[in-house]
Amino acid sequence: MKKLIPLLFLGLAAIGLMLLLNACDDNKADSGPSPQTGAGGSMARFAITDNTLYIVSKQSLEVYDINDAANPTKAVTKNMGFGIETIFPYQKNLFIGAMDGMYIYDNAKPNAPVLLSKYTHVFSCDPVVVQGRYAYVTLRAGVTCRTGTAFSSLDVIDISDPAKPQLIGSHRMDSPYGLGVSGNKLFVCEGDKGFRMMDISEPKVPIQKHFFHEVPAYDVIVRDNRLLVTGKDGLYQYKYDDSDSLEYLSKIPVL
């Protein structure tokens, strides 16, 4: 199982990349600039905004100009210390998850992001997603990146001032991995236990509506009322609606 999970993450990342590239094609006819192109999972290590590609390694953020997609050129490398894990672009900012916190970069100049702040938390794995003035971060206990007796949680962070992020709520979870957000829905993957559908009509106070135990879930992409979920043995696609019902659509097996 431990050997399989990275392959599933890679599969979800590949699908995320296809969504990103398809979105690039879809936006070609759009006359206005798009701050964020496409969609990716919360545990992604790459992201695209307009004609810029971002890749995070364990210690750095690398920025590439992809105006000429066949010949990408590196614009800059930002050294960030250690434990860098995920990246999530939102509007004119980049939110980068690290084992000891969340970095917020001003991305007004895509080829030259500028560090605004760092929200520091206990040492942990921490995928992050953002919507409006709030960031949602999962912190998972009982793993290499969070040893000891610390509990797992879903943290809600006020980022209305990106230079001064503030924790406004922390909610107990079982063993959270990736997460995804769209409208008033927040989906939190709980590994072998499945995934939660949460109502964030009041963004500061997520309320669980359902806990789907049928499919182990490690990361999720939310797009157009569809979920792409990394399961135990493949990638699962679901459809959901405002009534909180969930409809299974398809599966791409990973052998």
Side-chain angles (χ1 to χ4, degrees):
M1 177 60 191
K2 291 182 179 178
K3 293 181 179 179
L4 181 61
I5 291 175
L7 295 176
L8 295 175
F9 285 154
L10 184 59
L12 189 61
I15 288 181
L17 180 58
M18 287 188 286
L19 291 176
L20 291 168
L21 296 178
N22 287 339
C24 289
D25 292 337
D26 293 341
N27 288 338
K28 284 180 180 177
D30 202 349
S31 58
S34 173
Q36 181 178 349
T37 302
S42 66
M43 301 181 80
R45 284 187 170 271
F46 62 86
I48 294 175
T49 63
D50 292 332
N51 294 308
T52 308
L53 169 67
Y54 304 92
I55 300 174
V56 292
S57 67
K58 292 182 179 180
Q59 297 180 331
S60 65
L61 166 65
E62 297 183 1
V63 183
Y64 291 85
D65 187 320
I66 55 171
N67 273 287
D68 181 357
N71 297 287
T73 57
K74 181 180 287 188
V76 69
T77 296
K78 301 280 186 177
N79 293 319
M80 301 177 65
F82 73 99
I84 307 304
E85 296 181 319
T86 64
I87 182 168
F88 188 89
Y90 185 77
Q91 295 181 350
K92 292 188 180 297
N93 293 311
L94 300 175
F95 297 83
I96 297 174
M99 288 183 181
D100 63 343
M102 176 183 69
Y103 294 82
I104 303 177
Y105 277 81
D106 183 333
N107 197 37
K109 296 181 179 179
N111 281 348
V114 176
L115 180 65
L116 287 175
S117 63
K118 180 182 179 182
Y119 164 75
T120 302
H121 55 57
V122 295
F123 202 65
S124 177
C125 306
D126 72 332
V128 55
V129 295
V130 179
Q131 181 170 264
R133 59 182 289 183
Y134 300 102
Y136 299 92
V137 178
T138 56
L139 305 177
R140 188 168 76 256
V143 290
T144 302
C145 54
R146 193 176 191 182
T147 57
T149 59
F151 62 85
S152 296
S153 65
L154 167 68
D155 286 1
V156 185
I157 303 163
D158 187 333
I159 54 165
S160 52
D161 181 354
K164 298 179 180 179
Q166 299 289 327
L167 176 68
I168 58 172
S170 187
H171 309 269
R172 288 286 185 106
M173 295 282 120
D174 291 334
S175 182
Y177 285 76
L179 66 170
V181 63
S182 180
N184 64 352
K185 298 283 196 300
L186 177 69
F187 299 89
V188 181
C189 298
E190 288 274 16
D192 288 346
K193 295 185 177 182
F195 64 93
R196 303 174 190 261
M197 176 189 286
M198 308 188 78
D199 187 323
I200 53 171
S201 298
E202 172 49 65
K204 295 182 289 186
V205 187
I207 298 173
Q208 181 176 306
K209 303 294 288 186
H210 297 287
F211 197 153
F212 299 98
H213 298 279
E214 293 80 5
V215 175
Y218 302 99
D219 200 8
V220 59
I221 293 175
V222 187
R223 179 169 175 165
D224 300 330
N225 286 83
R226 298 286 201 278
L227 303 179
L228 287 173
V229 178
T230 302
K232 191 171 186 177
D233 56 358
L235 303 172
Y236 294 78
Q237 183 178 199
Y238 295 90
K239 180 180 179 180
Y240 68 93
D241 57 30
D242 293 337
S243 68
D244 297 333
S245 66
L246 193 72
E247 177 186 354
Y248 169 78
L249 295 177
S250 64
K251 172 187 174 183
I252 302 174
V254 176
L255 302 178

